[in-house]
Amino acid sequence: MKTFYKFSVLACAVLLAACQPKSDPKETQDKQQEPVVEQQQVEPTLRGETVKVQVTLPECSGNACPDFTVERLESNFSFIDQLIDQQVLNQLSHMLEVVDADKASSTVQSTEQKPNLDAQTQMYANAFIKIDEELKALSSSHQISLMIKPKILQSKGSLATVVLNSSSYLGGAHGATAQHYYNFDLKNQKQIQLNDLLLPKQKATLDKLAHDAFKVWIVDSKLANDPKEYEEAWPFQVTDNFLLGEQGLILQYGEYEIGPYVVGLPRLVIPFDQLKGVLKPEYLPQVEAPAVSTPAASTAT
């Protein structure tokens, strides 16, 4: 009887062990070897849109109504927006030459606080309308216009670039246009100037490359057969208005800077292959190393 009892207890123990759920070896192994997800650093990106600056203009109808359009940039980087706002005002000042700024500012706002962009732009809009009234008093049928508009050209990478386009016609023989480029290091949140691109002691090299590009431009544009003769009237200068294009460093000039009005807004391009050892490596295109070919196995004869 005792022997039978012992066998019964043993059989129950075996049955209980068999009923216990077994862990999946593969699942246990997966849990132990869960890969650690590495957080990749997200490259900062400039995003934004342009919005029209609100100003009040007199009611007008017809083809001769003055056209005043100024836009600003609203982006995810406030330091860029503030810089572009100031450049918009600088352009307005250059185009309209409001001389009685103190009186105009007191009209906009009597406190010492600096007026906002809309209020300051209104000051220039008033000067613009005054020009239109003076032209119409002279029986002029010209339609005067003014436009300033920023645009994001390059949103990420070594440099983010914003261009400020402007044009105006204020009743003269012809209008005026301009393109100004502003380049930014988004990671460190600062504006980058042309000299910031250069390796140490390379300013003279860049100046020579730019001068060589200027002489090529003179001949290619058929402005003169001899660049030296052309430079007697239009001396060369290196501009700080630049951007990095697909093919190289672009130096953007304004009207009358290195040529007559007929040449418009000249550009000089210095190819990247000429800028090795001149620009810092991070501003040069990243050239991928060619894949190493696997030598073919020799066939025994």
Side-chain angles (χ1 to χ4, degrees):
M1 184 71 179
K2 290 182 179 178
T3 303
F4 176 77
Y5 176 76
K6 289 181 180 179
F7 278 114
S8 298
V9 172
L10 180 60
C12 290
V14 171
L15 289 173
L16 287 174
C19 293
Q20 294 297 324
K22 296 182 179 179
S23 60
D24 187 352
K26 183 177 183 303
E27 182 181 352
T28 305
Q29 185 177 6
D30 289 344
K31 287 183 178 179
Q32 292 175 351
Q33 297 181 358
E34 263 186 20
V36 178
V37 179
E38 295 183 1
Q39 292 184 351
Q40 295 182 351
Q41 189 173 2
V42 179
E43 185 179 21
T45 302
L46 176 61
R47 297 183 299 272
E49 60 181 0
T50 58
V51 296
K52 194 171 182 179
V53 177
Q54 298 301 314
V55 295
T56 302
L57 301 174
E59 293 185 5
C60 180
S61 61
N63 297 329
C65 290
D67 183 11
F68 184 91
T69 303
V70 175
E71 297 185 11
R72 68 181 303 188
L73 179 66
E74 289 186 352
S75 76
N76 56 329
F77 285 88
S78 60
F79 85 101
I80 294 179
D81 295 347
Q82 292 170 9
L83 186 145
I84 297 300
D85 279 357
Q86 185 57 54
Q87 296 305 317
V88 166
L89 292 174
N90 291 348
Q91 282 294 305
L92 285 169
S93 177
H94 175 73
M95 297 160 80
L96 291 170
E97 298 180 354
V98 176
V99 292
D100 201 357
D102 294 336
K103 182 178 179 181
S105 296
S106 63
T107 303
V108 172
Q109 187 167 323
S110 58
T111 65
E112 293 182 358
Q113 183 181 358
K114 186 177 180 180
N116 60 33
L117 182 64
D118 288 354
Q120 293 183 84
T121 303
Q122 182 67 58
M123 173 181 72
Y124 292 102
N126 295 341
F128 176 78
I129 294 302
K130 186 176 180 180
I131 293 173
D132 183 62
E133 292 172 349
E134 291 174 350
L135 288 173
K136 285 183 169 55
L138 297 173
S139 300
S140 173
S141 59
H142 293 301
Q143 180 192 29
I144 66 172
S145 62
L146 183 149
M147 182 277 294
I148 300 177
K149 183 176 181 178
K151 180 181 179 181
I152 297 174
L153 286 186
Q154 179 65 35
S155 60
K156 59 184 178 180
S158 57
L159 287 182
T161 304
V162 176
V163 61
L164 190 62
N165 293 301
S166 63
S167 64
S168 64
Y169 174 69
L170 302 177
H174 50 70
T177 59
Q179 285 182 325
H180 293 274
Y181 296 92
Y182 303 93
N183 302 279
F184 303 97
D185 178 341
L186 297 181
K187 184 178 180 180
N188 296 307
Q189 297 199 17
K190 66 177 183 178
Q191 184 182 7
I192 298 296
Q193 306 291 350
L194 183 57
N195 285 340
D196 297 327
L197 304 185
L198 302 179
L199 289 167
K201 300 180 181 180
Q202 292 301 316
K203 180 64 168 63
T205 305
L206 178 67
D207 290 352
K208 183 181 183 305
L209 290 171
H211 195 186
D212 291 342
F214 174 64
K215 289 184 282 189
V216 171
W217 171 77
I218 293 172
V219 176
D220 289 349
S221 303
K222 299 180 180 179
L223 298 171
N225 293 325
D226 184 1
K228 289 184 179 179
E229 181 181 339
Y230 181 85
E231 287 191 72
E232 292 179 2
W234 299 99
F236 175 69
Q237 54 183 316
V238 177
T239 181
D240 57 0
N241 188 15
F242 78 95
L243 72 154
L244 293 178
E246 294 183 359
Q247 305 300 323
L249 174 66
I250 299 173
L251 301 177
Q252 177 68 66
Y253 289 85
E255 294 173 339
Y256 299 110
E257 281 194 292
I258 57 172
Y261 178 80
V262 69
V263 301
L265 303 175
R267 281 185 165 191
L268 304 180
V269 181
I270 305 174
F272 282 123
D273 58 2
Q274 297 181 21
L275 293 167
K276 294 177 182 178
V278 179
L279 297 191
K280 295 174 182 176
E282 57 265 34
Y283 299 118
L284 293 171
Q286 301 298 318
V287 180
E288 295 183 2
V292 179
S293 59
T294 304
S298 59
T299 305
T301 56

